[in-house]
Amino acid sequence: PQPAPLPFFPDKPCVVFIVGVNGTGKTTSTARLAQWLKNQNRSVMLAAADTFRAAAIEQLDVWAQRLDVPIIKGQYKADPAAVCHDAWEAANKRGINYLLCDTAGRLHTRDNLMAELSKIERVLGRKDASAPHETLLVVDATTGSNALQQAKEFQKAVGKLTGVIVTKLDGSGKGGCVVSIQNELGVPARFIGTGEGKDDFAIFDAKKFVEGIL
């Protein structure tokens, strides 16, 4: 099925978690989603909740400057839940439409890091019981069947994945893993990354995707 659009709330920020394992293009996908939302005339704020890697904070900060969007960040090794809490406060106060939380890339086998995601959810839930409104899993089109296992583990950790962002579709990968994730978990592909530029990002088109595989 074609994916539903991201929700929009006139009186509060829509909170979007971006999750995934290391190396899938998670931080870049967060930035590209921000640019895509800006192109839809929506206001965006970034939360640098990947405090596990100092380079990730710097990378997202560079993107924020390039895209001209506000960012809330903490120190290296700071509590990611506290960063997201502060970001929600700032986004709500400034009337921002979308708060994108770039979480740490984590192996789905690392229980402590998966538990960290649950903590961020609990903290934000005190501000808005319905947050996060979207949790998007970034998967690499070249990953193959392991992407389904990743999706299963993240689904357990966050309660409900609402969509998949498929990256590196410009390479050799066909991204067939999204069919398995949809069939087994009911989690649809929502967006695709097709290159290195800030605008190489689009809504998943089921018809074009199937034609590409065939």
Side-chain angles (χ1 to χ4, degrees):
Q2 274 300 114
L6 294 179
F8 172 78
F9 309 112
D11 57 346
K12 65 180 181 180
C14 174
V15 180
V16 182
F17 276 7
I18 314 294
V19 303
V21 302
N22 298 301
T24 55
K26 184 178 49 56
T27 298
T28 304
S29 293
T30 303
R32 287 180 184 150
L33 177 56
Q35 178 64 36
W36 185 85
L37 287 166
K38 277 191 72 179
N39 291 344
Q40 315 299 312
N41 297 315
R42 301 301 189 191
S43 56
V44 187
M45 178 178 284
L46 301 177
D50 181 356
T51 60
F52 198 63
R53 287 189 313 123
I57 301 171
E58 294 166 9
Q59 182 186 3
L60 196 66
D61 195 21
V62 168
W63 271 113
Q65 293 174 47
R66 189 183 304 172
L67 302 178
D68 192 25
V69 297
I71 182 172
I72 301 298
K73 56 188 180 179
Q75 298 297 317
Y76 171 53
K77 298 285 191 183
D79 181 2
V83 173
C84 290
H85 172 276
D86 292 348
W88 188 94
E89 292 267 0
N92 189 55
K93 187 175 181 179
R94 294 166 63 171
I96 297 289
N97 300 141
Y98 290 91
L99 173 61
L100 308 185
C101 301
D102 178 32
T103 66
R106 60 201 76 213
L107 289 170
H108 54 280
T109 52
R110 292 283 295 275
D111 291 342
N112 59 325
L113 285 175
M114 297 301 268
E116 184 183 87
L117 283 175
S118 300
K119 181 184 176 184
I120 299 173
E121 280 194 329
R122 289 195 305 273
V123 169
L124 283 176
R126 295 179 197 136
K127 293 294 179 181
D128 179 354
S130 60
H133 307 98
E134 294 282 340
T135 302
L136 304 179
L137 174 69
V138 180
V139 299
D140 182 332
T142 64
T143 301
S145 58
N146 192 40
L148 175 60
Q149 188 57 37
Q150 291 172 15
K152 286 179 178 177
E153 295 300 326
F154 275 97
Q155 181 92 299
K156 280 187 213 167
V158 299
K160 180 168 177 53
L161 290 175
T162 59
V164 172
I165 298 174
V166 195
T167 62
K168 305 179 186 175
L169 270 177
D170 53 322
S172 60
K174 293 283 192 178
C177 57
V178 301
V179 178
S180 302
I181 293 172
Q182 168 73 56
N183 282 345
E184 291 210 26
L185 302 178
V187 179
R190 300 289 286 277
F191 296 97
I192 60 170
T194 56
E196 296 301 318
K198 66 179 183 178
D199 290 307
D200 293 333
F201 191 84
I203 291 178
F204 176 81
D205 185 314
K207 189 170 186 294
K208 282 185 183 175
F209 176 76
V210 172
E211 286 172 353
I213 285 185
L214 297 177

